[in-house]
Amino acid sequence: MSTKQLSRSCFVNGYNKTVVRPTHDDMSTESNYFAKIVRGCDPRAQTCRGKLQSRRSKLNQEINKELMLRNGAENLFKATNNKKLRETVALELSFVNSNLQLLKEQLAELNSSVDVYQNRSANLCVPMIPLGLKETKDVDFQESFKDFIHDHYYENGNKYDDSIQDFRDIRQAMRTPMRDQSGINLLFEYYNHLHYIERRFFSSDKSLGVYDSLTGVPSCQRTVAFEKASVLFNIAALYTQIGARQDRTKNSGIDASVDKYLRSAGMFRFIQEHFSQAPSMDLSVETLDMLVSLMLAQARECLFEKLILNGNDEKTIEQCLEIAQESAQVADVYDAVHKCISSNPVKDYVPYSWISLVLVKVQHYKALSHYYLAIGLLDYVGELKKSVCDTLQCIQISNHGKSMLIDYRAPQADDEQRLLGKAHLREALLLHEESIRVHRMCRQLRKVDTLLDMLKASHTTSLNKYADIEEEDDFQEVVDPPAIQASTKYQLTLMPPDFSQFEVKDLFHQLGPLAIFSAKNNWTPPRIIKLRKRADESFGFSVRGDSPVIIAGVDGGSLAEVGGMKEGDFIVSIGDIDAKSCHHDEVVSLIKAADCQLTLTLVTPINRNFLKPRNPCHSPVSSASSSGMSSLSCPTEQSPTSSICSNKSKDSNWRRTWNPFKRSDSKEKMSMVYSCNSLGRR
């Protein structure tokens, strides 16, 4: 690097850090340099979506303040008997409730800002519904983690300052992820880190406050499970934002959108199945079920757009019938979403514009299904093929509830074919007008110009077609057409999250193997055992297992027994060497190298005898937290318990318990020097 350098400040790991920027001579490596150190960004100051999220964050904080004021005023109102004071408090409560309502309306308007997430090049595409990210606040884990390491692991917490800071940096960075795949990767990595943090320790006196993505109401829970579920929700929300901004005028953009919506739906389903009793409404079963349906509907809508995009301008009647059924299928799935999003209690929490937009799409795609069926019939010249007649007979559903319906599902003559096509076209016009009416009734949707342009363009196309076939001397009354049977050739499958793609390293691996040295296991304070023997004597103990090595047996009256060694003790260090993660052969070599003077640091498990495991094939799984949320952990590692108890070598052959220090048969009196020192708290 050249001696002339420039210093600039960038957002690294969620906070501002001054880094050295290479000069012009080294600019070729600059992009790679920053790609390695930048984990998060500050999109709040860069993009429209970031600014929107920043406004949402400020509204969340203001809502939190108003809620605290309201709670205090309500408590004072209940506690006092002073009439004048109660009147003053009641007046203050009315102001607070009014401000709170205004703030929630502003947040709902921000959540309704779907236009800012769309791709600007796709002006004639129906906008999709993206989700905003859940906000959280900064939490200082420094002292609580150090105290837990000191009290539970009996180690000096200052040794882990760097590990604690790394975890804080990752958490800070994930609060402002990039709106691309790198942001997805960052959130997945943080989630996998939470797996280790949850098992190592988690301070029960630190509540993780997370704001509801839909209402802005803060929720707190003393468990990592809530943090996990919130991170997964943000991953799914980020998928929706990435999917919404794809250019759906190209096949590649449509495929990317479908992929992101299916991944989002799979993530919402994963949260629904693995996390329960969430304190925030956006993680409730009803809301998650609605979000799964909404993402699947948007994926199917993208597939319909791909079918239109790949079709020819001059479509055959077979293609028109296929498109009509696909469009009816999209309308049906959105109709199911509308029933779900309009039900209690979901409708009280989602923005009203979402409900209106879903209803607009129901009417719009119903209109398109009738339109394509109409142009298939009207543009076809000649006698209909038997296969086409059979298809028409199948896809058109007679609705005898309509008084003026005449069953023309399979027209037998040209005039019947024309009349049936005109009836479907008229129905398309009415439905297009209904979609425009619903759009105008919603104040937030009226601001989405691209949606109105799309609806008007579709209505104009149908109106021009109807004007072309209208004849002044045609006095035959237009009948109500049959409904169209929904059908699709696309089968959508939820894409569950694959956590194994985002492997991370345990930041606190120096504490020892996770399956043993975790928050759920307890052991005595470390004690130092010093043994000295003659060349013809033995220490009198045997070991087995790996990571950590366990004392398998202690001979009666031996140096080891007199020194305080017990069966089931873990060897955590040999001399100055940390042995918690050492394999069997390494420990044996270190003990042999000690010759006649051996210094061991041992701990004794309290709540479990690891010599007799409850399940040798046990895989680490997080237990349910005391707060009610339960979760299924996703990163896995081999449990050292199996190797400790199985005594198998790497080639799967049984390994004999190693005991080179078996007590000598000599009856000579043993000379022994030992000391037992309980380290306690260091």
Side-chain angles (χ1 to χ4, degrees), residues 72-87:
E74 289 176 346
N75 292 335
L76 181 59
F77 186 84
K78 296 176 182 178
T80 184
N81 293 323
N82 188 307
K83 183 177 179 181
K84 186 175 182 180
L85 181 59
R86 288 173 67 90
E87 292 177 354

Side-chain angles (χ1 to χ4, degrees), residues 130-260:
L131 275 73
L133 303 184
K134 291 170 70 69
E135 291 285 340
T136 184
K137 58 184 179 181
D138 189 21
V139 179
D140 187 3
F141 298 97
Q142 193 83 14
E143 296 303 323
S144 59
F145 275 23
K146 285 184 179 180
D147 291 343
F148 194 86
I149 292 173
H150 181 271
D151 297 338
H152 187 77
Y153 294 97
Y154 305 101
E155 293 195 31
N156 185 0
N158 294 327
K159 292 168 45 180
Y160 297 90
D161 281 338
D162 292 340
S163 298
I164 297 173
Q165 187 60 44
D166 288 343
F167 177 69
R168 289 190 62 189
D169 292 346
I170 295 173
R171 188 177 190 275
Q172 182 69 15
M174 73 90 194
R175 295 175 60 189
T176 57
M178 295 287 289
R179 265 61 172 182
D180 53 23
Q181 187 58 41
S182 64
I184 297 292
N185 297 346
L186 176 62
L187 290 174
F188 268 112
E189 289 175 9
Y190 176 68
Y191 178 86
N192 286 349
H193 277 295
L194 286 177
H195 163 73
Y196 295 107
I197 296 299
E198 182 180 26
R199 301 192 63 203
R200 288 290 186 191
F201 45 78
F202 187 73
S203 178
S204 60
D205 61 343
K206 289 290 184 182
S207 296
L208 294 179
V210 180
Y211 295 99
D212 192 294
S213 66
L214 301 177
T215 64
V217 176
S219 301
C220 295
Q221 199 171 65
R222 300 179 186 273
T223 171
V224 183
F226 182 40
E227 179 90 342
K228 281 184 172 182
S230 299
V231 172
L232 295 181
F233 185 95
N234 277 0
I235 294 175
L238 202 53
Y239 276 136
T240 66
Q241 294 183 15
I242 298 174
R245 74 172 186 176
Q246 300 298 320
D247 184 3
R248 303 200 311 275
T249 61
K250 302 177 182 178
N251 283 325
S252 58
I254 294 177
D255 292 338
S257 293
V258 172
D259 176 74
K260 295 301 181 291

Side-chain angles (χ1 to χ4, degrees), residues 180-368:
D180 53 23
Q181 187 58 41
S182 64
I184 297 292
N185 297 346
L186 176 62
L187 290 174
F188 268 112
E189 289 175 9
Y190 176 68
Y191 178 86
N192 286 349
H193 277 295
L194 286 177
H195 163 73
Y196 295 107
I197 296 299
E198 182 180 26
R199 301 192 63 203
R200 288 290 186 191
F201 45 78
F202 187 73
S203 178
S204 60
D205 61 343
K206 289 290 184 182
S207 296
L208 294 179
V210 180
Y211 295 99
D212 192 294
S213 66
L214 301 177
T215 64
V217 176
S219 301
C220 295
Q221 199 171 65
R222 300 179 186 273
T223 171
V224 183
F226 182 40
E227 179 90 342
K228 281 184 172 182
S230 299
V231 172
L232 295 181
F233 185 95
N234 277 0
I235 294 175
L238 202 53
Y239 276 136
T240 66
Q241 294 183 15
I242 298 174
R245 74 172 186 176
Q246 300 298 320
D247 184 3
R248 303 200 311 275
T249 61
K250 302 177 182 178
N251 283 325
S252 58
I254 294 177
D255 292 338
S257 293
V258 172
D259 176 74
K260 295 301 181 291
Y261 289 131
L262 291 180
R263 291 182 185 276
S264 178
M267 184 64 76
F268 286 130
R269 183 67 72 195
F270 182 87
I271 299 173
Q272 185 181 24
E273 293 175 350
H274 293 85
F275 296 90
S276 59
Q277 302 181 14
S280 61
M281 181 60 196
D282 54 0
L283 292 175
S284 66
V285 176
E286 296 84 1
T287 303
L288 292 174
D289 191 58
M290 180 273 295
L291 291 175
V292 171
S293 301
L294 177 60
M295 295 306 117
L296 289 176
Q298 294 191 143
R300 189 163 296 283
E301 182 180 4
C302 292
L303 292 175
F304 173 77
E305 292 176 342
K306 185 175 182 179
L307 183 64
I308 298 297
L309 182 64
N310 293 336
N312 300 323
D313 294 336
E314 297 294 333
K315 295 179 174 60
T316 64
I317 188 171
E318 290 83 2
Q319 291 175 333
C320 289
L321 296 181
E322 179 184 354
I323 294 175
Q325 285 190 286
E326 291 286 351
S327 183
Q329 180 69 25
V330 176
D332 275 9
V333 295
Y334 269 117
D335 188 51
V337 173
H338 183 259
K339 292 178 182 177
C340 186
I341 203 173
S342 302
S343 62
N344 292 321
V346 179
K347 69 176 183 180
D348 297 327
Y349 293 92
V350 299
Y352 175 72
S353 62
W354 288 13
I355 303 176
S356 299
L357 181 56
V358 170
L359 187 57
V360 166
K361 291 188 176 186
V362 171
Q363 304 300 325
H364 175 67
Y365 286 106
K366 280 185 179 179
L368 289 183

Side-chain angles (χ1 to χ4, degrees), residues 19 32 117 122 190 203 213 305 436 441 549 576 596 636 647 674:
V19 299
N32 294 333
Y117 294 96
Y190 176 68
S203 178
S213 66
E305 292 176 342
I436 295 175
M441 290 180 62
V549 172
D576 296 332
C596 294
T636 60
N647 281 327
Y674 69 90

Side-chain angles (χ1 to χ4, degrees), residues 115-129:
D115 190 45
V116 72
Y117 294 96
Q118 313 302 316
N119 189 288
R120 296 301 179 185
S121 62
N123 293 327
L124 291 181
C125 290
V126 181
M128 298 293 178
I129 299 179

Side-chain angles (χ1 to χ4, degrees), residues 362-434:
V362 171
Q363 304 300 325
H364 175 67
Y365 286 106
K366 280 185 179 179
L368 289 183
S369 67
H370 285 282
Y371 170 77
Y372 280 103
L373 183 57
I375 63 174
L377 291 171
L378 295 172
D379 293 347
Y380 186 80
V381 179
E383 185 179 355
L384 294 176
K385 300 178 183 178
K386 185 179 185 303
S387 60
V388 175
C389 292
D390 294 340
T391 303
L392 284 172
Q393 187 73 21
C394 179
I395 70 173
Q396 295 185 103
I397 308 172
S398 295
N399 186 357
H400 297 287
K402 294 185 178 181
S403 57
M404 298 183 63
L405 178 67
I406 300 177
D407 191 3
Y408 281 116
R409 288 185 296 168
Q412 303 299 323
D414 292 343
D415 57 341
E416 291 182 359
Q417 177 180 332
R418 182 176 179 280
L419 182 60
L420 181 59
K422 189 175 180 180
H424 280 290
L425 189 57
R426 178 175 174 273
E427 185 71 12
L429 274 172
L430 296 176
L431 290 170
H432 280 310
E433 292 172 358
E434 177 64 16

